[in-house]
Amino acid sequence: MAWRNGYIPEGDLIIFKRGWNSTDGDWFWGLTPATYVRHLALIERARRRTGRTLEPSDGWGTYRPYAAQVIARRIYGNGAAVPGTSSHGGFWEGRETLAIDYSNWSWVYGGSRAAFYEDCRAVGLTPGMIAPGRGYPDEPWHVIDLNPRSGPGPASNGAQPFPQTVETVAPIPPEEDDMPTHIRSTIGESLAIGGVVVRFPTPEDVAATKIAAGAAMQVMDTSAAVHTSIIAADERRDAKAAALPIVVYADGGDGTVYVWENGRLTALADPGTLHDLLDRGATVVHWSVGEVNSLIAQQKS
């Protein structure tokens, strides 16, 4: 059953910050597990690109319950949604959605809307929907998740991603290559999503993400050494290298070179592709052929 706008049970959300201010009173930041994972991935992409930390607006900058929508309307008038119609409320324009206001986006991205929008889309969030072309004010900080119950699906181009009135809209299933990959080893658990690797902050976040309805993901069990290598390689990539896959040499193998991208290993068939990646500054790692074969076998299972 679809949520009523402003009435998502807190048990369906990950609450990751609480606070108080004179405008909102007691507030919290809450997102569904699927949206929370995308939020973490966006923060990581922003940090890699600019070295600065993106975060939601103070107060009800994520999910916004009905009572908070009433307060916002009272304070901001027509600058806030009619209570029960906010994109932050869980159901908007005929389908389930969640919204996040990133009030510091301009500081983080140096005012580059294009860069901010690019990173949002890369992790499966949709920017640019609250805009004059769609009959709204221009709010570049206002980012929407069109699949808050499910794993990442294709991001919208921000123009007209769905009809104004629909009865039901099924979540968009992710293509296999777009699925996040859940990486597990003795050092912990991570998620490869949207071109970055996000460490799960707590075991509770792991469990919450696993039970998110429709949040399909691949699972990859690996050694601590390879897991550490994945995290280290991801962390040392600069903005230029982050747009490229990681080159993987299989030590002890037959000379085949692989690329690691979005949580999957793929053999490189064309030597020219390898040379191009190296010339463009792709990050390089060395894994044993046993580890490489194990990961490929898991992808096929």
Side-chain angles (χ1 to χ4, degrees), residues 222-234:
T222 188
S223 68
V226 166
H227 194 172
T228 300
S229 173
I230 291 170
I231 294 169
D234 191 62

Side-chain angles (χ1 to χ4, degrees), residues 113 117 128 130-132 136-141:
R113 188 182 302 211
Y117 281 15
I130 307 301
Y136 297 101
D138 186 25
E139 296 187 0
W141 59 85

Side-chain angles (χ1 to χ4, degrees), residues 162-188:
F162 49 86
Q164 295 295 318
T165 303
V166 293
E167 293 184 1
T168 59
V169 180
I172 303 171
E175 298 292 333
E176 183 174 329
D177 288 346
D178 293 330
M179 285 185 186
T181 297
H182 179 192
I183 307 168
R184 306 186 299 198
S185 76
T186 56
I187 68 167

Side-chain angles (χ1 to χ4, degrees), residues 85-111:
T85 67
S86 172
S87 61
H88 292 270
F91 194 88
W92 176 69
E93 290 196 355
R95 69 181 291 168
E96 290 185 332
T97 64
L98 274 178
I100 308 169
D101 290 336
Y102 292 105
S103 59
N104 69 341
W105 78 271
S106 185
W107 173 75
V108 171
Y109 285 89

Side-chain angles (χ1 to χ4, degrees), residues 240-241 243-248 257-261 268 270-284:
K240 180 179 178 182
L244 303 173
I246 295 172
V247 174
V248 179
V257 181
Y258 301 82
V259 292
W260 164 269
E261 186 171 27
L268 278 177
D270 180 7
T273 302
L274 173 61
H275 296 153
D276 177 64
L277 288 172
L278 296 177
D279 288 344
R280 294 165 62 193
T283 302
V284 175

